Amino acid sequence: MTNPTILTVDDDPTVSRAVARDIRRRYGDRYRVVRAVSGQEALEALSEIKLRGDQLAVMLADYRMPRMNGIEFLERAMDLFPLARRVLLTAYADTDAAIDAINVVDLDHYLLKPWNPPEQNLYPVIDTLLEAWLATPDPASAMTRVVGHRWSRPSYAARDFLARNLVPYQWLPVDEPEGERLLAAAGLDTEARLPLVVLADGSSLVAPTESELAAHVGLSTTPASDFYDLVVIGAGPAGLGAAVYGASEGLNTVLVEREATGGQAGQSSRIENYLGFPDGVSGSQLTDRARRQALKFGAEILSAREVVSLEAAGSARVLHLGSGETIGAHTVVLATGVSYRRLPAPGLEEFTGAGVYYGSAVTEAQGCEGAEVYVVGGANSAGQAAVYFSRYASRVHMLVRSGDLTRSMSSYLIDQIAAIDNIVVHPYTEVADAKGDHHLQQLTLRDVRSGTTDTVDASWLFVFIGAAPRTKWLDGVLARDPGGFVVTGPDLVAGGKRIAGWSLPRDPYHLESSVPGVFAAGDVRAASVKRVASAVGEGAMAVSLAHRYLEAQ
């Protein structure tokens, strides 16, 4: 097989030659550089690359091209090479169009012309994109296959677990020929307990638990040691931040996650207000980079492992896992985040995973092609999901109990939603009921002011409401507020008196809980700012305070 390809397309011959020359000078020894002068010519080149079975790493397309502009070309090229990284070449006057393209073609970067000197303005961009492309296995070459029923909660759970943990897989419904063939080869039929997961070595798992699935697809599930300097519980932005800073500063660090790295932020299709990413970044991209960064510094990451209790044993903090194992540590960072609250409407629980989803469930996006999608919630996570699903659905309906989106959504996102024709916002609306045969088929919507109802056909409902902290397992161990959030720092001191049971002569540090040496960071902490940037910052701050705690011991 030949070297992977980098494709450039620009209708201006001077610019086209310049960008190809600069890229060939830096990457020509490892990549084949192909130059085209129109979108149509570039598509023909891509078809030839596809026919030869070669790989495409990066596409750079000029925005202003006749007959087919750069956005239109990239949108069509995605069908041929969905994993190739996408760059739009643009003049300063067209940056608004480039920003809009982020949501249309999941743009990785837009590059202003001229990019001289390339060492400063071009090569760092291409280096980052090539690194990301090389780290993303091609699902077509991945041998993990999941066979199951389309509207099956266990089948959805397996797919969602693999996707959120960035494990490449192929989904095969039981009613497709390849799915039928794999079932027969495993001695199963459509009445068997599914899903069937066929692994790279040809072995198979039938209806595996998440722990079994994690262990067989290469995720680490067993701690390498029984004692650490720092245990981080939860692998959302706060937990990943704590793991990166803890490991990079020399602490023997383990990160324990019960579901998937990234937390709620990892499910976001596009985070656009995170510092340092002017083009926006998807939750999975941010999660992947943070996870690789933590591993690079030596942090250990345990997947599909749930911490069920915490106890103080002298100077040690002992964590009990659901598997029966225990891990000891000098310090602990609680970064378990929050879960979306369940909608209490009749029928919804029955269809969870079969038309009703909590979070964005990006694995379902292509299945929504041409359908009506309903999104419940009025905060940023709901808005990001609505924008993402609008690329697939015929129409996205946002259901919000308040009068508009201004109460809890960032203005940039409100403006985006207003500009997308197939997103409709329904104020003062809630879900009253759900019905269907084995999967969601109808929703009853209610006007919260008048009480009047309307029944609509619906097979897709995505819920983003409220925030319930995952702290039930800490009952009786440390102080929490009435909502279950962990109380920390100054809030543990009232009227000059420390909380009952505090054992040290000093006041608790800022992020420290009522158990010395146990810190809380991110959404799980009482009165925290519910933003990705603040969660990462708190994770880093918790490590700094952990160092201070250790120095005083």
Side-chain angles (χ1 to χ4, degrees), residues 159-196:
R159 290 185 291 129
D160 189 58
F161 178 81
L162 293 172
R164 292 183 60 194
N165 281 286
L166 308 178
V167 177
Y169 72 96
Q170 182 182 15
W171 162 243
L172 297 165
V174 294
D175 55 358
E176 291 187 0
E178 182 63 9
E180 293 175 351
R181 186 188 70 78
L182 290 174
L183 282 182
L188 302 174
D189 57 30
T190 57
E191 301 302 317
R193 289 179 64 237
L194 298 177
L196 168 70

mmCIF file of all heavy atoms in Angstrom, residues 159-196:
data_model
loop_
_atom_site.group_PDB
_atom_site.id
_atom_site.type_symbol
_atom_site.label_atom_id
_atom_site.label_comp_id
_atom_site.label_asym_id
_atom_site.label_seq_id
_atom_site.Cartn_x
_atom_site.Cartn_y
_atom_site.Cartn_z
ATOM 1 N N ARG A 159 -23.122 -0.664 22.259
ATOM 2 C CA ARG A 159 -22.614 0.280 21.255
ATOM 3 C C ARG A 159 -22.195 1.598 21.894
ATOM 4 O O ARG A 159 -21.152 2.178 21.565
ATOM 5 C CB ARG A 159 -23.681 0.539 20.186
ATOM 6 C CG ARG A 159 -23.928 -0.666 19.289
ATOM 7 C CD ARG A 159 -24.891 -0.323 18.172
ATOM 8 N NE ARG A 159 -26.245 -0.097 18.651
ATOM 9 C CZ ARG A 159 -26.983 0.971 18.370
ATOM 10 N NH1 ARG A 159 -26.493 1.926 17.625
ATOM 11 N NH2 ARG A 159 -28.203 1.076 18.829
ATOM 12 N N ASP A 160 -23.012 2.091 22.818
ATOM 13 C CA ASP A 160 -22.723 3.357 23.471
ATOM 14 C C ASP A 160 -21.446 3.248 24.306
ATOM 15 O O ASP A 160 -20.622 4.164 24.312
ATOM 16 C CB ASP A 160 -23.907 3.764 24.347
ATOM 17 C CG ASP A 160 -23.770 5.176 24.897
ATOM 18 O OD1 ASP A 160 -23.652 6.108 24.087
ATOM 19 O OD2 ASP A 160 -23.779 5.349 26.138
ATOM 20 N N PHE A 161 -21.274 2.128 25.002
ATOM 21 C CA PHE A 161 -20.074 1.943 25.809
ATOM 22 C C PHE A 161 -18.825 1.957 24.930
ATOM 23 O O PHE A 161 -17.828 2.608 25.254
ATOM 24 C CB PHE A 161 -20.161 0.624 26.580
ATOM 25 C CG PHE A 161 -18.951 0.325 27.412
ATOM 26 C CD1 PHE A 161 -18.789 0.902 28.654
ATOM 27 C CD2 PHE A 161 -17.963 -0.530 26.936
ATOM 28 C CE1 PHE A 161 -17.649 0.635 29.422
ATOM 29 C CE2 PHE A 161 -16.829 -0.797 27.689
ATOM 30 C CZ PHE A 161 -16.675 -0.212 28.938
ATOM 31 N N LEU A 162 -18.854 1.237 23.820
ATOM 32 C CA LEU A 162 -17.698 1.199 22.924
ATOM 33 C C LEU A 162 -17.419 2.576 22.327
ATOM 34 O O LEU A 162 -16.263 3.023 22.273
ATOM 35 C CB LEU A 162 -17.923 0.176 21.822
ATOM 36 C CG LEU A 162 -17.979 -1.293 22.252
ATOM 37 C CD1 LEU A 162 -18.396 -2.174 21.082
ATOM 38 C CD2 LEU A 162 -16.632 -1.741 22.807
ATOM 39 N N ALA A 163 -18.472 3.243 21.884
ATOM 40 C CA ALA A 163 -18.292 4.548 21.245
ATOM 41 C C ALA A 163 -17.723 5.570 22.221
ATOM 42 O O ALA A 163 -16.799 6.320 21.897
ATOM 43 C CB ALA A 163 -19.619 5.043 20.674
ATOM 44 N N ARG A 164 -18.265 5.608 23.441
ATOM 45 C CA ARG A 164 -17.821 6.605 24.410
ATOM 46 C C ARG A 164 -16.417 6.318 24.920
ATOM 47 O O ARG A 164 -15.730 7.227 25.381
ATOM 48 C CB ARG A 164 -18.812 6.693 25.567
ATOM 49 C CG ARG A 164 -20.169 7.268 25.146
ATOM 50 C CD ARG A 164 -21.094 7.405 26.329
ATOM 51 N NE ARG A 164 -20.535 8.293 27.331
ATOM 52 C CZ ARG A 164 -20.993 8.390 28.576
ATOM 53 N NH1 ARG A 164 -21.996 7.631 28.956
ATOM 54 N NH2 ARG A 164 -20.443 9.226 29.435
ATOM 55 N N ASN A 165 -15.989 5.071 24.840
ATOM 56 C CA ASN A 165 -14.621 4.731 25.215
ATOM 57 C C ASN A 165 -13.682 4.732 24.016
ATOM 58 O O ASN A 165 -12.547 4.243 24.112
ATOM 59 C CB ASN A 165 -14.582 3.377 25.918
ATOM 60 C CG ASN A 165 -15.005 3.479 27.376
ATOM 61 O OD1 ASN A 165 -14.248 3.972 28.207
ATOM 62 N ND2 ASN A 165 -16.219 3.041 27.681
ATOM 63 N N LEU A 166 -14.175 5.245 22.882
ATOM 64 C CA LEU A 166 -13.371 5.425 21.673
ATOM 65 C C LEU A 166 -12.809 4.113 21.145
ATOM 66 O O LEU A 166 -11.698 4.044 20.624
ATOM 67 C CB LEU A 166 -12.231 6.423 21.938
ATOM 68 C CG LEU A 166 -12.648 7.770 22.555
ATOM 69 C CD1 LEU A 166 -11.438 8.643 22.819
ATOM 70 C CD2 LEU A 166 -13.642 8.499 21.655
ATOM 71 N N VAL A 167 -13.600 3.050 21.297
ATOM 72 C CA VAL A 167 -13.221 1.740 20.770
ATOM 73 C C VAL A 167 -13.915 1.555 19.418
ATOM 74 O O VAL A 167 -15.144 1.557 19.347
ATOM 75 C CB VAL A 167 -13.638 0.604 21.718
ATOM 76 C CG1 VAL A 167 -13.302 -0.759 21.110
ATOM 77 C CG2 VAL A 167 -12.963 0.768 23.076
ATOM 78 N N PRO A 168 -13.183 1.420 18.318
ATOM 79 C CA PRO A 168 -13.822 1.273 17.007
ATOM 80 C C PRO A 168 -14.579 -0.050 16.907
ATOM 81 O O PRO A 168 -14.106 -1.091 17.379
ATOM 82 C CB PRO A 168 -12.655 1.324 16.020
ATOM 83 C CG PRO A 168 -11.462 0.930 16.820
ATOM 84 C CD PRO A 168 -11.712 1.397 18.215
ATOM 85 N N TYR A 169 -15.740 -0.002 16.289
ATOM 86 C CA TYR A 169 -16.552 -1.212 16.139
ATOM 87 C C TYR A 169 -17.459 -1.054 14.924
ATOM 88 O O TYR A 169 -17.638 0.050 14.389
ATOM 89 C CB TYR A 169 -17.412 -1.458 17.393
ATOM 90 C CG TYR A 169 -18.556 -0.481 17.532
ATOM 91 C CD1 TYR A 169 -19.833 -0.802 17.076
ATOM 92 C CD2 TYR A 169 -18.355 0.773 18.100
ATOM 93 C CE1 TYR A 169 -20.876 0.099 17.177
ATOM 94 C CE2 TYR A 169 -19.385 1.672 18.203
ATOM 95 C CZ TYR A 169 -20.650 1.344 17.752
ATOM 96 O OH TYR A 169 -21.679 2.249 17.847
ATOM 97 N N GLN A 170 -18.035 -2.154 14.504
ATOM 98 C CA GLN A 170 -19.010 -2.148 13.406
ATOM 99 C C GLN A 170 -20.330 -2.664 13.941
ATOM 100 O O GLN A 170 -20.384 -3.702 14.598
ATOM 101 C CB GLN A 170 -18.523 -3.035 12.254
ATOM 102 C CG GLN A 170 -19.460 -3.034 11.053
ATOM 103 C CD GLN A 170 -18.965 -3.956 9.941
ATOM 104 O OE1 GLN A 170 -18.093 -4.789 10.160
ATOM 105 N NE2 GLN A 170 -19.519 -3.813 8.754
ATOM 106 N N TRP A 171 -21.403 -1.940 13.676
ATOM 107 C CA TRP A 171 -22.736 -2.307 14.142
ATOM 108 C C TRP A 171 -23.472 -3.050 13.034
ATOM 109 O O TRP A 171 -23.545 -2.585 11.891
ATOM 110 C CB TRP A 171 -23.520 -1.061 14.549
ATOM 111 C CG TRP A 171 -25.009 -1.228 14.637
ATOM 112 C CD1 TRP A 171 -25.945 -0.592 13.883
ATOM 113 C CD2 TRP A 171 -25.746 -2.071 15.541
ATOM 114 N NE1 TRP A 171 -27.209 -0.973 14.247
ATOM 115 C CE2 TRP A 171 -27.126 -1.891 15.265
ATOM 116 C CE3 TRP A 171 -25.373 -2.976 16.543
ATOM 117 C CZ2 TRP A 171 -28.115 -2.575 15.960
ATOM 118 C CZ3 TRP A 171 -26.362 -3.651 17.232
ATOM 119 C CH2 TRP A 171 -27.707 -3.453 16.945
ATOM 120 N N LEU A 172 -24.021 -4.217 13.362
ATOM 121 C CA LEU A 172 -24.720 -5.042 12.376
ATOM 122 C C LEU A 172 -26.076 -5.463 12.943
ATOM 123 O O LEU A 172 -26.136 -6.304 13.855
ATOM 124 C CB LEU A 172 -23.886 -6.290 12.042
ATOM 125 C CG LEU A 172 -22.524 -6.031 11.392
ATOM 126 C CD1 LEU A 172 -21.669 -7.287 11.443
ATOM 127 C CD2 LEU A 172 -22.689 -5.551 9.963
ATOM 128 N N PRO A 173 -27.176 -4.906 12.448
ATOM 129 C CA PRO A 173 -28.497 -5.352 12.899
ATOM 130 C C PRO A 173 -28.731 -6.819 12.530
ATOM 131 O O PRO A 173 -28.189 -7.326 11.540
ATOM 132 C CB PRO A 173 -29.458 -4.427 12.133
ATOM 133 C CG PRO A 173 -28.634 -3.233 11.760
ATOM 134 C CD PRO A 173 -27.255 -3.764 11.522
ATOM 135 N N VAL A 174 -29.542 -7.499 13.314
ATOM 136 C CA VAL A 174 -29.763 -8.944 13.109
ATOM 137 C C VAL A 174 -30.481 -9.234 11.800
ATOM 138 O O VAL A 174 -30.405 -10.359 11.286
ATOM 139 C CB VAL A 174 -30.573 -9.541 14.275
ATOM 140 C CG1 VAL A 174 -29.783 -9.492 15.561
ATOM 141 C CG2 VAL A 174 -31.923 -8.828 14.431
ATOM 142 N N ASP A 175 -31.186 -8.250 11.244
ATOM 143 C CA ASP A 175 -31.946 -8.510 10.023
ATOM 144 C C ASP A 175 -31.147 -8.214 8.754
ATOM 145 O O ASP A 175 -31.685 -8.239 7.652
ATOM 146 C CB ASP A 175 -33.249 -7.710 10.019
ATOM 147 C CG ASP A 175 -33.025 -6.212 10.220
ATOM 148 O OD1 ASP A 175 -31.859 -5.795 10.399
ATOM 149 O OD2 ASP A 175 -34.025 -5.461 10.231
ATOM 150 N N GLU A 176 -29.844 -7.938 8.896
ATOM 151 C CA GLU A 176 -28.989 -7.762 7.730
ATOM 152 C C GLU A 176 -28.195 -9.050 7.490
ATOM 153 O O GLU A 176 -27.908 -9.793 8.438
ATOM 154 C CB GLU A 176 -28.044 -6.575 7.921
ATOM 155 C CG GLU A 176 -28.765 -5.231 7.922
ATOM 156 C CD GLU A 176 -27.803 -4.059 7.936
ATOM 157 O OE1 GLU A 176 -26.565 -4.305 7.942
ATOM 158 O OE2 GLU A 176 -28.281 -2.912 7.937
ATOM 159 N N PRO A 177 -27.821 -9.330 6.232
ATOM 160 C CA PRO A 177 -27.163 -10.611 5.922
ATOM 161 C C PRO A 177 -25.923 -10.893 6.767
ATOM 162 O O PRO A 177 -25.739 -12.008 7.246
ATOM 163 C CB PRO A 177 -26.814 -10.459 4.431
ATOM 164 C CG PRO A 177 -27.846 -9.515 3.903
ATOM 165 C CD PRO A 177 -28.117 -8.553 5.007
ATOM 166 N N GLU A 178 -25.061 -9.901 6.945
ATOM 167 C CA GLU A 178 -23.838 -10.136 7.715
ATOM 168 C C GLU A 178 -24.162 -10.420 9.177
ATOM 169 O O GLU A 178 -23.522 -11.259 9.820
ATOM 170 C CB GLU A 178 -22.898 -8.932 7.594
ATOM 171 C CG GLU A 178 -21.562 -9.085 8.311
ATOM 172 C CD GLU A 178 -20.688 -10.214 7.772
ATOM 173 O OE1 GLU A 178 -21.029 -10.793 6.719
ATOM 174 O OE2 GLU A 178 -19.652 -10.516 8.404
ATOM 175 N N GLY A 179 -25.164 -9.719 9.711
ATOM 176 C CA GLY A 179 -25.592 -9.991 11.076
ATOM 177 C C GLY A 179 -26.137 -11.396 11.230
ATOM 178 O O GLY A 179 -25.812 -12.112 12.198
ATOM 179 N N GLU A 180 -26.940 -11.825 10.276
ATOM 180 C CA GLU A 180 -27.486 -13.187 10.292
ATOM 181 C C GLU A 180 -26.363 -14.219 10.212
ATOM 182 O O GLU A 180 -26.390 -15.251 10.906
ATOM 183 C CB GLU A 180 -28.453 -13.374 9.122
ATOM 184 C CG GLU A 180 -29.729 -12.537 9.232
ATOM 185 C CD GLU A 180 -30.600 -12.672 7.999
ATOM 186 O OE1 GLU A 180 -30.118 -13.273 7.005
ATOM 187 O OE2 GLU A 180 -31.738 -12.181 8.017
ATOM 188 N N ARG A 181 -25.353 -13.943 9.373
ATOM 189 C CA ARG A 181 -24.249 -14.885 9.208
ATOM 190 C C ARG A 181 -23.466 -15.048 10.505
ATOM 191 O O ARG A 181 -23.104 -16.165 10.907
ATOM 192 C CB ARG A 181 -23.321 -14.402 8.093
ATOM 193 C CG ARG A 181 -22.213 -15.393 7.751
ATOM 194 C CD ARG A 181 -21.207 -14.797 6.789
ATOM 195 N NE ARG A 181 -20.400 -13.765 7.406
ATOM 196 C CZ ARG A 181 -19.375 -14.012 8.224
ATOM 197 N NH1 ARG A 181 -19.044 -15.255 8.519
ATOM 198 N NH2 ARG A 181 -18.686 -13.019 8.723
ATOM 199 N N LEU A 182 -23.185 -13.921 11.188
ATOM 200 C CA LEU A 182 -22.417 -13.994 12.428
ATOM 201 C C LEU A 182 -23.207 -14.695 13.532
ATOM 202 O O LEU A 182 -22.633 -15.450 14.332
ATOM 203 C CB LEU A 182 -22.008 -12.588 12.871
ATOM 204 C CG LEU A 182 -20.942 -11.909 11.997
ATOM 205 C CD1 LEU A 182 -20.731 -10.471 12.430
ATOM 206 C CD2 LEU A 182 -19.620 -12.675 12.062
ATOM 207 N N LEU A 183 -24.517 -14.461 13.582
ATOM 208 C CA LEU A 183 -25.335 -15.171 14.570
ATOM 209 C C LEU A 183 -25.284 -16.679 14.335
ATOM 210 O O LEU A 183 -25.109 -17.466 15.268
ATOM 211 C CB LEU A 183 -26.785 -14.690 14.503
ATOM 212 C CG LEU A 183 -27.128 -13.347 15.159
ATOM 213 C CD1 LEU A 183 -28.627 -13.084 15.031
ATOM 214 C CD2 LEU A 183 -26.730 -13.325 16.622
ATOM 215 N N ALA A 184 -25.433 -17.073 13.071
ATOM 216 C CA ALA A 184 -25.411 -18.502 12.737
ATOM 217 C C ALA A 184 -24.063 -19.125 13.078
ATOM 218 O O ALA A 184 -23.983 -20.242 13.605
ATOM 219 C CB ALA A 184 -25.732 -18.698 11.257
ATOM 220 N N ALA A 185 -22.968 -18.387 12.802
ATOM 221 C CA ALA A 185 -21.628 -18.909 13.091
ATOM 222 C C ALA A 185 -21.412 -19.105 14.587
ATOM 223 O O ALA A 185 -20.653 -19.978 15.008
ATOM 224 C CB ALA A 185 -20.573 -17.957 12.530
ATOM 225 N N ALA A 186 -22.105 -18.278 15.394
ATOM 226 C CA ALA A 186 -21.983 -18.402 16.846
ATOM 227 C C ALA A 186 -23.004 -19.369 17.429
ATOM 228 O O ALA A 186 -23.072 -19.541 18.649
ATOM 229 C CB ALA A 186 -22.144 -17.023 17.494
ATOM 230 N N GLY A 187 -23.816 -20.002 16.549
ATOM 231 C CA GLY A 187 -24.831 -20.933 17.014
ATOM 232 C C GLY A 187 -26.012 -20.261 17.677
ATOM 233 O O GLY A 187 -26.672 -20.850 18.541
ATOM 234 N N LEU A 188 -26.294 -19.026 17.270
ATOM 235 C CA LEU A 188 -27.385 -18.250 17.867
ATOM 236 C C LEU A 188 -28.429 -17.927 16.817
ATOM 237 O O LEU A 188 -28.192 -18.038 15.606
ATOM 238 C CB LEU A 188 -26.845 -16.946 18.474
ATOM 239 C CG LEU A 188 -25.760 -17.073 19.549
ATOM 240 C CD1 LEU A 188 -25.240 -15.694 19.922
ATOM 241 C CD2 LEU A 188 -26.298 -17.799 20.779
ATOM 242 N N ASP A 189 -29.607 -17.512 17.287
ATOM 243 C CA ASP A 189 -30.627 -16.990 16.384
ATOM 244 C C ASP A 189 -31.159 -15.691 16.974
ATOM 245 O O ASP A 189 -30.691 -15.216 18.016
ATOM 246 C CB ASP A 189 -31.760 -18.005 16.164
ATOM 247 C CG ASP A 189 -32.420 -18.435 17.471
ATOM 248 O OD1 ASP A 189 -32.452 -17.625 18.428
ATOM 249 O OD2 ASP A 189 -32.920 -19.577 17.537
ATOM 250 N N THR A 190 -32.142 -15.113 16.311
ATOM 251 C CA THR A 190 -32.638 -13.799 16.728
ATOM 252 C C THR A 190 -33.365 -13.833 18.059
ATOM 253 O O THR A 190 -33.629 -12.782 18.649
ATOM 254 C CB THR A 190 -33.573 -13.218 15.655
ATOM 255 O OG1 THR A 190 -34.648 -14.146 15.421
ATOM 256 C CG2 THR A 190 -32.826 -12.978 14.356
ATOM 257 N N GLU A 191 -33.696 -15.031 18.556
ATOM 258 C CA GLU A 191 -34.372 -15.143 19.847
ATOM 259 C C GLU A 191 -33.383 -15.247 21.000
ATOM 260 O O GLU A 191 -33.781 -15.248 22.174
ATOM 261 C CB GLU A 191 -35.293 -16.373 19.846
ATOM 262 C CG GLU A 191 -36.369 -16.351 18.769
ATOM 263 C CD GLU A 191 -37.266 -15.128 18.896
ATOM 264 O OE1 GLU A 191 -37.655 -14.796 20.038
ATOM 265 O OE2 GLU A 191 -37.571 -14.516 17.859
ATOM 266 N N ALA A 192 -32.095 -15.350 20.697
ATOM 267 C CA ALA A 192 -31.079 -15.498 21.742
ATOM 268 C C ALA A 192 -30.888 -14.177 22.477
ATOM 269 O O ALA A 192 -31.300 -13.101 22.022
ATOM 270 C CB ALA A 192 -29.761 -15.949 21.128
ATOM 271 N N ARG A 193 -30.236 -14.259 23.642
ATOM 272 C CA ARG A 193 -29.876 -13.050 24.366
ATOM 273 C C ARG A 193 -28.799 -12.322 23.581
ATOM 274 O O ARG A 193 -27.753 -12.882 23.270
ATOM 275 C CB ARG A 193 -29.366 -13.385 25.768
ATOM 276 C CG ARG A 193 -30.430 -13.871 26.737
ATOM 277 C CD ARG A 193 -29.830 -14.192 28.101
ATOM 278 N NE ARG A 193 -29.276 -13.014 28.740
ATOM 279 C CZ ARG A 193 -28.021 -12.895 29.143
ATOM 280 N NH1 ARG A 193 -27.166 -13.887 28.949
ATOM 281 N NH2 ARG A 193 -27.602 -11.789 29.740
ATOM 282 N N LEU A 194 -29.062 -11.090 23.240
ATOM 283 C CA LEU A 194 -28.137 -10.287 22.449
ATOM 284 C C LEU A 194 -27.840 -9.002 23.221
ATOM 285 O O LEU A 194 -28.536 -8.669 24.169
ATOM 286 C CB LEU A 194 -28.757 -9.985 21.078
ATOM 287 C CG LEU A 194 -29.045 -11.213 20.199
ATOM 288 C CD1 LEU A 194 -29.718 -10.783 18.901
ATOM 289 C CD2 LEU A 194 -27.767 -11.986 19.904
ATOM 290 N N PRO A 195 -26.737 -8.326 22.859
ATOM 291 C CA PRO A 195 -25.998 -8.431 21.608
ATOM 292 C C PRO A 195 -24.948 -9.541 21.619
ATOM 293 O O PRO A 195 -24.524 -10.018 22.660
ATOM 294 C CB PRO A 195 -25.316 -7.079 21.510
ATOM 295 C CG PRO A 195 -25.055 -6.717 22.945
ATOM 296 C CD PRO A 195 -26.270 -7.199 23.684
ATOM 297 N N LEU A 196 -24.532 -9.892 20.409
ATOM 298 C CA LEU A 196 -23.369 -10.723 20.186
ATOM 299 C C LEU A 196 -22.227 -9.785 19.812
ATOM 300 O O LEU A 196 -22.358 -8.973 18.896
ATOM 301 C CB LEU A 196 -23.630 -11.710 19.053
ATOM 302 C CG LEU A 196 -22.406 -12.458 18.506
ATOM 303 C CD1 LEU A 196 -21.899 -13.461 19.537
ATOM 304 C CD2 LEU A 196 -22.733 -13.144 17.180
#
